[in-house]
Amino acid sequence: MTTSLPFPMTPKLILSSFVSLVVITLFFITRTSFSPSSLFQPQNNTLRISTSSTGSKLQSSKSASCTKIPPSLADALVHYAASNVTPQQTLSEISVTKKVLEKKSPCNFLVFGLGHDSLMWATLNHGGRTIFLDEDESWIHQIAQKFPSLESYHVRYKTKVRDAAALMAATRDREECRSVSTDLRVSTCALALKGLPEVVYETEWDLIMVDAPTGFDDETPGRMTAIYTAGMIARRRKDDGETTAVFVHDVNRKVEDEFSMEFLCRDYMTEQEGILRHFTVPSHRNYGLSGVKFCP
């Protein structure tokens, strides 16, 4: 005997019933999969979500490892968190160099000067080589005791700020002061620093910061030779396609202003923030053959 239904069995009704059955089935499955007991599985069966600068990624805890931050980074964090002494440069000035380091580090970074910001520069160039040159030997020993990881060297300067005008007049048009082919260690130019550690002459530097020696009065060494030497190191890079970022601080002073524009070149200046100038100096290794000028 056939029983008639009180409603017609249309295709739409059949499909709706099927969907409802699937939803109910999935509900019971998920209830089972995510029961309270499933939340307390052994650690090696769980998944860990780690967030990095490139976004979130799913990582199995079996392959995850606990890593410590390098001691140099830890030292920097603790030092600046607990210190009442601020770096010599302003935040906006520091940001100029930081921006370049973000692109180039780990790299070779040469700094004329050793100060309260030295640990910061070495940390921002983590994994690269950062060395510091300073005129005060006792200060170097003091910093070395506090931060033994910093690589620093003592430099003796023979100039005085009072001689800056005479040095500029005697060197600005001299061929020996414009020759890139001459090794600085044997240069006859009065501005060339010839007694620096060998590592300075042998390394291809990506960044050079000139924030020393002192130059606040006529009896201090002044930065005439440091600025000139930084420019020549940049021009002598072996790869003709390379450039060096050179930074000069305290350009509100006459020596830093005039010597940076003369020997690092106005047309190579990338930007100025506060009293910090940033120059991008290309290699001139082959320029002597092509007749290209010292400054464009």
Side-chain angles (χ1 to χ4, degrees):
M1 184 177 67
T2 304
T3 303
S4 61
L5 297 173
F7 48 84
M9 292 294 292
T10 63
K12 184 176 181 180
L13 181 61
I14 295 172
L15 180 60
S16 176
S17 301
F18 177 74
V19 170
S20 299
L21 180 61
V22 170
V23 170
I24 294 170
T25 303
L26 287 174
F27 174 76
F28 282 106
I29 290 174
T30 54
R31 290 265 304 184
T32 303
S33 300
F34 292 92
S35 63
S37 61
S38 68
L39 297 176
F40 298 94
Q41 295 294 325
Q43 187 177 359
N44 61 353
N45 290 328
T46 62
L47 291 176
R48 177 177 299 166
I49 298 177
S50 61
T51 305
S52 67
S53 59
T54 55
S56 299
K57 60 181 180 180
L58 207 57
Q59 182 182 31
S60 171
S61 64
K62 290 182 179 180
S63 61
S65 61
C66 179
T67 56
K68 296 180 180 179
I69 65 172
S72 60
L73 297 182
D75 288 344
L77 287 171
V78 172
H79 170 68
Y80 289 112
S83 176
N84 292 324
V85 180
T86 57
Q88 291 93 320
Q89 297 183 23
T90 65
L91 176 59
S92 58
E93 291 167 353
I94 290 170
S95 298
V96 174
T97 308
K98 176 179 173 289
K99 182 171 58 178
V100 178
L101 280 170
E102 285 175 348
K103 296 178 181 178
K104 294 196 173 189
S105 65
C107 63
N108 294 320
F109 188 7
L110 173 64
V111 183
F112 286 85
L114 180 67
H116 299 295
D117 53 4
S118 297
L119 184 61
M120 175 190 68
W121 294 131
T123 303
L124 290 174
N125 189 31
H126 177 67
R129 186 174 191 180
T130 307
I131 75 169
F132 303 90
L133 309 177
D134 201 85
E135 70 204 88
D136 190 337
E137 196 167 10
S138 62
W139 174 247
I140 292 175
H141 291 313
Q142 183 179 335
I143 294 296
Q145 290 179 351
K146 193 172 184 179
F147 305 114
S149 63
L150 296 182
E151 183 180 0
S152 56
Y153 300 91
H154 180 229
V155 178
R156 291 182 173 86
Y157 295 93
K158 300 178 180 179
T159 55
K160 299 290 184 183
V161 169
R162 64 170 183 265
D163 302 324
L167 277 170
M168 175 68 82
T171 57
R172 73 188 327 163
D173 296 321
R174 297 292 294 271
E175 181 60 31
E176 61 265 32
C177 294
R178 307 260 168 173
S179 174
V180 179
S181 60
T182 304
D183 192 312
L184 283 167
R185 288 167 285 195
V186 296
S187 174
T188 57
C189 180
L191 288 172
L193 286 172
K194 294 179 278 190
L196 300 177
E198 286 299 304
V199 63
V200 175
Y201 305 109
E202 298 296 335
T203 304
E204 298 284 297
W205 298 103
D206 301 292
L207 284 83
I208 303 175
M209 171 75 71
V210 180
D211 206 0
T214 51
F216 50 81
D217 64 37
D218 284 350
E219 296 307 309
T220 55
R223 299 177 187 171
M224 302 80 71
T225 56
I227 291 171
Y228 171 81
T229 300
M232 294 306 288
I233 288 174
R235 288 178 174 87
R236 283 181 53 79
R237 289 196 70 164
K238 294 176 182 177
D239 189 340
D240 195 45
E242 292 290 346
T243 61
T244 302
V246 182
F247 306 90
V248 180
H249 196 223
D250 298 317
V251 294
N252 56 318
R253 301 192 301 212
K254 184 177 177 67
V255 166
E256 285 80 354
D257 174 34
E258 294 183 356
F259 276 76
S260 66
M261 287 303 192
E262 179 68 27
F263 295 106
L264 296 177
C265 304
R266 185 181 302 275
D267 287 345
Y268 290 153
M269 189 173 78
T270 304
E271 62 180 309
Q272 177 172 335
E273 179 62 47
I275 56 174
L276 179 83
R277 279 183 191 152
H278 170 204
F279 297 83
T280 302
V281 183
S283 169
H284 282 212
R285 273 294 179 118
N286 296 326
Y287 282 18
L289 300 176
S290 59
V292 177
K293 294 181 179 179
F294 188 79
C295 285

